[in-house]
Amino acid sequence: EDPAAILEIKEDIRDECAKVAEITNVVLFDKEPDGVASVRFSNAEGAKACVRMMDGRFFSGTKVEAYIAEGNEKFKKSSEKKSQIEDEEQGNEEGQRIDKFGSWLEGGEE
């Protein structure tokens, strides 16, 4: 639940996945005990390439299970308001804008 650790993990995921395709959003579901992240790409081919690269790899001693989401997954994360405050404190206005847009796309609040 350390905000700095959460941001670092999101950045690590973004950096690694960006090696194969353009990333539009990374969401870390920090309330999930198994550690769940969602990475959104600018196109389907990039998402498939990332799944091929990441599935089965190890991250901090944990084996990664990468797959294309069906859209009906429900994972838990810290409140959006808390995330926005943390983003503002880090001066990450772009990340905040992208997270807000991602939530909007997923049918959440603006």
Side-chain angles (χ1 to χ4, degrees), residues 11 13 22 28 34 51 54 67 81 97 104 108-109:
E11 288 174 14
I13 292 169
E22 182 181 349
L28 185 64
D34 292 333
V51 167
M54 298 298 290
Y67 61 91
K81 299 252 185 251
R97 184 185 66 76
W104 177 80
E109 295 180 332

Side-chain angles (χ1 to χ4, degrees), residues 1-40:
E1 294 196 15
D2 176 18
I6 291 171
L7 285 174
E8 184 176 338
I9 291 168
K10 283 177 73 171
E11 288 174 14
D12 288 348
I13 292 169
R14 180 180 293 275
D15 291 345
E16 195 63 24
C17 294
K19 291 177 181 178
V20 294
E22 182 181 349
I23 307 296
T24 60
N25 193 21
V26 176
V27 177
L28 185 64
F29 296 94
D30 57 327
K31 298 294 184 185
E32 290 293 326
D34 292 333
V36 176
S38 171
V39 182
R40 189 175 307 240

Side-chain angles (χ1 to χ4, degrees), residues 36-100:
V36 176
S38 171
V39 182
R40 189 175 307 240
F41 295 87
S42 61
N43 60 59
E45 293 79 23
K48 291 174 187 174
C50 187
V51 167
R52 285 190 300 271
M53 178 183 78
M54 298 298 290
D55 193 40
R57 287 181 57 182
F58 284 85
F59 181 79
S60 297
T62 302
K63 188 174 182 178
V64 173
E65 179 185 340
Y67 61 91
I68 304 295
E70 295 179 13
N72 58 358
E73 295 84 356
K74 300 292 182 198
F75 299 114
K76 299 174 187 168
K77 66 177 181 172
S78 296
S79 75
E80 191 68 29
K81 299 252 185 251
K82 181 179 176 184
S83 295
Q84 288 175 356
I85 291 168
E86 291 164 0
D87 284 345
E88 287 171 3
E89 290 173 355
Q90 294 296 321
N92 188 356
E93 293 175 7
E94 180 69 7
Q96 181 184 6
R97 184 185 66 76
I98 290 170
D99 285 344
K100 187 175 178 181

